[in-house]
Amino acid sequence: MLEARLTDLTEFAAKRFGSRDAFTAPGEGTYNFVQINELVARCAGGLAKSGIQAGDRVVLHLPNCLQWIVFYHAIARMGGVVIPANFLLSVEEIHFIVADSQAKALIVPAERLTHFESLDLQKIVVGDHPIALNYLELCTADPVAPAERHSDDLFTIGYTSGTTGKPKGAMLTHGNIFGSLAATATVHVRRESDVVISSLPFPHVYGNIVMNAVFLAGTKLVTTQRFEPGEALRLIAEHRATLFEGVPTMYYQILAHPGILAADLSSLTRCTVGGQTMPTAKIDEVTRRFNCPLLELWGMTEVAGPAITHSPYWAARHGSIGMLVPGMEARIESLEDSSKDAPFGQAGELLVRGAQVTIGYWNNTQATADAFVNDGWLSTGDIAWRDKDGYYYVVDRKKDMIITAGYNIYPAELEQVIASHPAVAMTAVAGVHDEEKGELAYAFIVLHRDMTCDEQDILMHCRKYLAAYKVPRRILFVESLPKTSTGKILRRTLRDDVERISQQAV
C-alpha cells in the first residue's frame, strides 16, 4: 500500500503501470514508468555517493524536462529536501534562495553554472562542465532503496513569487504534497487513459501536482519548456490529449491565436485553470471553443496545490473557484470583526486549514506567526465569499483592493466586465496614486489581433455594468502585460510603472 510520502512514488508507479508511457516532450523522446524509476534509483545513488545526505536541501533549477523529474524524485528517494526554483527566476533570486535555504547543492544546466560559480556548495549540472558533477555520471551509480520517511517529515521548501517583497520559503511535508496530489487526482478524475498537455513549470505548486499525478494515476504527461499557443494546439491534436492544464494567460493566448479556428480539440474531456481569477466571459469562450468543461481551481504555495476546485462530479458555476477538496477546511472571516465569520454571500478574507497547509516558513518565525491565526487557520490574503451550496468565489487579493475617495473597488470585478468586450483579449486593472482621491483605477488592455476599439468604447461598455465610482478613470492599450515567472499578471508592476507604460501605450 502506498503511504503518504514521495520517497517511493516512482517505484509504486513502475510496479503498477509498468511499460506504459509516462512522459514525453518535443526533442526528448518518450519514457515509461519502469525507465523513469530506474533512472530515479540510480540518480539517488549518485547523489548519496556525492555526499548529499538525508535532510540536505537541494535547489533544483532546471526547465521542464525529464531530468527535472528524475532529480526531484531522486532527492525524495534518498531523503533529501527539494527546493524547486523556477527556471525564469533571475540570477539574484537564485542566489537569495540558495543563501536563505542554506542549500547543500544546486542543480542547473551546464551553460548557467558560470552565474553561480562563487557559491560555496555542491554543483550538479545537466550537460558537460569541467568542475561539476553531471546528470549522466550520477545515473551510472548503483540504485538505492527508498529512504525511510514519514508523512510529517519536511520534503519541499517552496519559495513564494515575492510580489510583495523578498520570497518566503513555505515548508511542505511529504504528507502536505501527497495530500494535495491524492485529492486533486481524485476530484479531477485522473485516469490511466488520460493524456495531459501542460507547460506549467514543474516548480510551480500546481505544475508540480500535475507532474506528480502521472505517477499516482498512471497518466501520460506531454510537456514543453515554454508555453507557445500554436505548439499547444498542435500537441493536443497530435497526442489526442484528454486534459489541458494552464493559467489564464495561456488560455487568452490560445483564444487569440489564429490556429484556434482549425484546431482539432475533439479529444479533450476537460481542462483546468488556476493561478489567478479568470473573467467569466473568457471561461465561457474557452468552454465553447474547446467544447469541454473548464475546471477553475484555487491554491497557493502554502497549501501545496489546489485546495478549492471544480470537478466533473458536480455542476459548473462559472466565476466560482469550486468547492473544498477532501481534507481541507475554509472559513470566510468578517472584514469588520476578525473574530466572526462573514454571512453567506458576504465578502471577507479566506482562511484555510487542513492536511495540505504548510508547517510554516523556513527560518522566518515572524512570517509564520503573521500567517496563522487562532486554531491553525492560515490567512490567504484573498477576499472571497461562499454561497449556501458550498461554492467559493474569489473577489480579489486583499492587497490589490483600490480605495477611491473612500469607496472600495476590486480590480477583478472591473476585469470581469472589461474582458466581456468582444475586442479585449486580455486586461488588468491596477490602482494608481492620486493626490485628491487616494487611488484611481487604471485599465490596461491587450486587444484581439485584427480588432480595434478606443477608450470611449471601453468606458461606454463599463458604464452599462458598473457603478459610476467603479468605472476606470483611464484606459491604456498595450501590446502585453507584465507577468511573474509562473504567468500571473503583475498588477504591482503596472501600478509602479504607469508613467513609462503610458508613454509606450499603443
Side-chain angles (χ1 to χ4, degrees):
M1 181 178 177
L2 188 61
E3 296 187 31
R5 63 189 185 195
L6 278 291
T7 51
D8 50 1
L9 183 58
T10 62
E11 189 167 276
F12 161 84
K15 291 176 181 176
R16 182 171 180 181
F17 306 117
S19 60
R20 292 177 59 89
D21 290 347
F23 169 88
T24 189
E28 289 198 67
T30 300
Y31 294 82
N32 64 42
F33 291 97
V34 170
Q35 290 170 324
I36 292 176
N37 184 57
E38 288 176 350
L39 288 169
V40 167
R42 289 187 178 278
C43 186
L47 291 173
K49 189 177 178 180
S50 74
I52 297 173
Q53 301 174 3
D56 284 342
R57 293 166 295 285
V58 181
V59 176
L60 181 51
H61 182 52
L62 296 173
N64 285 10
C65 58
L66 175 71
Q67 292 89 342
W68 199 103
I69 296 172
V70 172
F71 274 121
Y72 177 92
H73 282 284
I75 297 165
R77 190 181 185 93
M78 50 82 62
V81 176
V82 179
I83 303 172
N86 194 296
F87 198 60
L88 296 181
L89 293 179
S90 68
V91 171
E92 291 74 18
E93 288 170 311
I94 299 300
H95 275 260
F96 172 82
I97 290 171
V98 166
D100 187 70
S101 65
Q102 302 166 321
K104 178 73 173 289
L106 169 68
I107 301 170
V108 294
E111 62 271 18
R112 286 201 175 186
L113 189 57
T114 183
H115 299 298
F116 308 109
E117 287 177 347
S118 64
L119 295 174
D120 184 21
L121 79 174
Q122 174 79 277
K123 297 162 181 94
I124 302 168
V125 299
V126 173
D128 293 321
H129 196 281
I131 66 167
L133 281 173
N134 69 56
Y135 167 77
L136 293 177
E137 288 180 63
L138 293 175
C139 290
T140 62
D142 292 333
V144 296
E148 185 63 34
R149 276 293 179 269
H150 304 285
S151 63
D152 56 356
D153 287 330
L154 178 63
F155 172 55
T156 285
I157 302 175
Y159 278 82
T160 59
S161 59
T163 55
T164 58
K166 289 292 186 183
K168 303 187 295 288
M171 297 185 288
L172 299 169
T173 66
H174 283 267
N176 291 150
I177 301 289
F178 192 89
S180 177
L181 170 60
T184 306
T186 301
V187 174
H188 289 171
V189 200
R190 298 176 189 269
R191 306 182 180 95
E192 293 179 40
S193 57
D194 276 323
V195 177
V196 180
I197 306 289
S198 174
S199 297
L200 291 167
F202 292 161
H204 183 265
V205 66
Y206 190 46
N208 182 264
I209 294 301
V210 170
M211 180 274 291
N212 274 322
V214 169
F215 302 100
L216 186 65
T219 61
K220 176 183 176 180
L221 174 63
V222 182
T223 192
T224 59
Q225 292 190 0
R226 289 178 178 269
F227 174 77
E228 198 284 314
E231 178 74 347
L233 291 170
R234 185 187 71 78
L235 291 173
I236 290 170
E238 178 185 335
H239 292 275
R240 303 301 297 160
T242 59
L243 178 56
F244 176 81
E245 314 207 55
V247 294
T249 52
M250 293 178 180
Y251 288 97
Y252 302 151
Q253 291 173 30
I254 288 176
L255 291 173
H257 193 276
I260 188 72
L261 298 175
D264 180 4
L265 306 176
S266 60
S267 60
L268 290 172
T269 59
R270 65 236 187 265
C271 298
T272 69
V273 62
Q276 215 162 18
T277 54
M278 189 171 180
T280 54
K282 296 302 179 186
I283 297 170
D284 293 341
E285 189 175 354
V286 169
T287 301
R288 184 175 67 255
R289 289 281 194 179
F290 286 46
N291 195 32
C292 69
L294 178 59
L295 308 177
E296 294 177 84
L297 57 89
W298 174 92
M300 58 193 301
T301 303
E302 288 85 347
V303 297
I308 303 173
T309 182
H310 277 83
S311 169
Y313 287 134
W314 51 76
R317 295 191 181 181
H318 291 179
S320 164
I321 54 174
M323 296 193 281
L324 285 163
V325 302
M328 291 296 293
E329 301 175 80
R331 54 183 285 249
I332 305 295
E333 182 182 88
S334 169
L335 295 176
E336 286 73 36
D337 184 351
S338 61
S339 67
K340 297 180 180 179
D341 288 351
F344 289 118
Q346 182 174 309
E349 183 173 1
L350 174 64
L351 306 181
V352 295
R353 70 179 178 186
Q356 298 177 202
V357 174
T358 176
I359 57 174
Y361 295 104
W362 173 262
N363 200 28
N364 197 332
T365 54
Q366 186 59 55
T368 301
D370 292 344
F372 288 91
V373 297
N374 292 338
D375 299 322
W377 289 101
L378 175 71
S379 300
T380 70
D382 279 334
I383 303 300
W385 60 278
R386 181 182 59 190
D387 67 23
K388 292 184 178 179
D389 295 326
Y391 285 82
Y392 289 80
Y393 302 76
V394 169
V395 178
D396 219 323
R397 290 292 291 168
K398 193 174 183 179
K399 63 181 177 61
D400 285 337
M401 184 175 69
I402 301 167
I403 302 178
T404 298
Y407 291 100
N408 293 347
I409 300 173
Y410 292 104
E413 181 184 5
L414 278 61
E415 290 165 1
Q416 289 271 3
V417 170
I418 296 168
S420 67
H421 190 287
V424 174
M426 199 181 312
T427 184
V429 172
V432 176
H433 176 72
D434 179 75
E435 289 292 339
E436 179 183 347
K437 296 189 176 181
E439 290 179 298
L440 296 176
Y442 279 38
F444 303 82
I445 296 172
V446 178
L447 293 175
H448 276 297
R449 188 179 307 187
D450 302 325
M451 296 190 74
T452 60
C453 72
D454 60 22
E455 184 173 12
Q456 286 306 311
D457 291 332
I458 298 296
L459 291 176
M460 289 176 60
H461 179 75
C462 289
R463 290 179 185 126
K464 293 179 184 177
Y465 305 101
L466 295 170
Y469 72 90
K470 295 181 182 180
V471 173
R473 295 307 175 94
R474 189 171 181 191
I475 307 296
L476 292 170
F477 296 98
V478 296
E479 292 184 354
S480 62
L481 297 172
K483 304 176 188 67
T484 68
S485 58
T486 56
K488 294 181 182 179
I489 294 171
L490 276 169
R491 289 176 179 151
R492 185 189 67 178
T493 299
L494 294 170
R495 181 180 66 242
D496 295 346
D497 228 5
V498 66
E499 185 174 340
R500 179 187 61 80
I501 295 171
S502 298
Q503 294 172 353
Q504 296 179 353
V506 295

